[in-house]
Amino acid sequence: MTDWTGVRDRVLALASVPGSGKVFGARAHGFELDAPLNTTEVADLEVWLDVDLPEDYRSFLLHVGAGGAGPAYGILPVRRGGSGGWRWVGEFIEEAEPGMFAEPFPGGANPEATVAILAERPLQDDFDDLADLDAAFEAWEERLGEVQYDPRRTAGALCLCDEGCGVVVWLVVTGPERGRMWRDDRSNGTDLHPMRETDGSSSDFASWYLGWLAAAETVCGLDR
């Protein structure tokens, strides 16, 4: 079980350290954290999701906070929404259907549908008129977006962090990748891929968050 003892205090303390604004994303979250959820709230959240949360994220919600300061621009806060449901406050996940979280996370880069449509990219040599090429390319880009951003590609995962420029980070909650962090680089023309620690091991929520905290403290000149 992840030991979050003292982590909330360590994060909040960074707000008063001179030079803490040098930490990437600090101006967005200000080293502030939402209040933790209680056990009843976490249980209700899991019922709404229809999944059991990975232990390290579940205990983070209980002992550190429901969102706020964290890697990049912070952890997207989870809060009660309308009609008794829940939502992560951030443009990437607010409209997610609760049933999607319990579906198996597909994982893997460049699934067959993406590979197929990438092979259909219009080529200049196939067109005599540049206007026709532009029209074909525009139509192809629209179809590519529909395939690459199909909501089923991130079923079984929670969007927890905005890294900027459309890059986001997901925590997988179903299937073989359950508990692991995945980075979403589709906005840069690449794909979803599993995150790794410096030793090559898979990143889980705890290693990802605590790694950020240790790095932030180093930037601020704090030794631990």
Side-chain angles (χ1 to χ4, degrees):
M1 179 174 291
T2 306
D3 183 5
W4 295 105
T5 303
V7 169
R8 180 178 175 87
D9 290 339
R10 286 168 60 188
V11 174
L12 297 177
L14 288 174
S16 60
V17 174
S20 61
K22 294 183 294 185
V23 176
F24 177 75
R27 293 185 180 181
H29 56 67
F31 297 106
E32 296 179 355
L33 288 164
D34 281 23
L37 301 181
N38 61 43
T39 54
T40 299
E41 289 171 324
V42 171
D44 183 67
L45 171 61
E46 291 179 316
V47 169
W48 183 77
L49 292 169
D50 196 24
V51 297
D52 292 330
L53 293 170
E55 180 279 327
D56 53 357
Y57 179 57
R58 187 180 197 277
S59 55
F60 176 88
L61 295 176
L62 288 168
H63 301 293
V64 182
Y73 296 108
I75 307 296
L76 297 183
V78 59
R79 297 172 184 161
R80 287 191 186 277
S83 304
W86 293 81
R87 69 187 185 106
W88 277 260
V89 181
E91 61 179 305
F92 300 102
I93 201 165
E94 283 184 299
E95 298 179 359
E97 295 292 333
M100 293 289 289
F101 299 114
E103 292 187 15
F105 177 70
N110 286 324
E112 291 183 6
T114 303
V115 172
I117 199 166
L118 287 173
E120 298 173 10
R121 180 189 179 103
L123 301 175
Q124 185 172 346
D125 291 346
D126 296 332
F127 294 85
D128 295 325
D129 191 316
L130 287 180
D132 292 338
L133 171 63
D134 290 342
F137 193 82
E138 183 177 342
W140 174 81
E141 279 194 313
E142 183 174 348
R143 290 189 295 115
L144 176 65
E146 291 174 354
V147 170
Q148 286 191 316
Y149 285 94
D150 185 331
R152 289 170 295 184
R153 300 230 29 229
T154 51
L158 309 177
C159 184
L160 294 187
C161 178
D162 173 12
E163 293 192 346
C165 300
V167 178
V168 295
V169 175
W170 300 80
L171 169 62
V172 181
V173 295
T174 62
E177 290 294 308
R178 183 178 184 276
R180 296 174 180 169
M181 308 298 294
W182 280 58
R183 178 171 283 115
D184 186 344
D185 282 316
R186 287 176 291 180
S187 63
N188 291 328
T190 53
D191 214 324
L192 296 121
H193 57 88
M195 298 176 69
R196 303 285 180 187
E197 298 299 306
T198 54
D199 62 2
S201 61
S202 298
S203 297
D204 58 19
F205 179 83
S207 65
W208 174 68
Y209 192 87
L210 293 174
W212 163 79
L213 178 55
E217 290 174 329
T218 298
V219 169
C220 294
L222 303 177
D223 295 324
R224 286 194 175 270

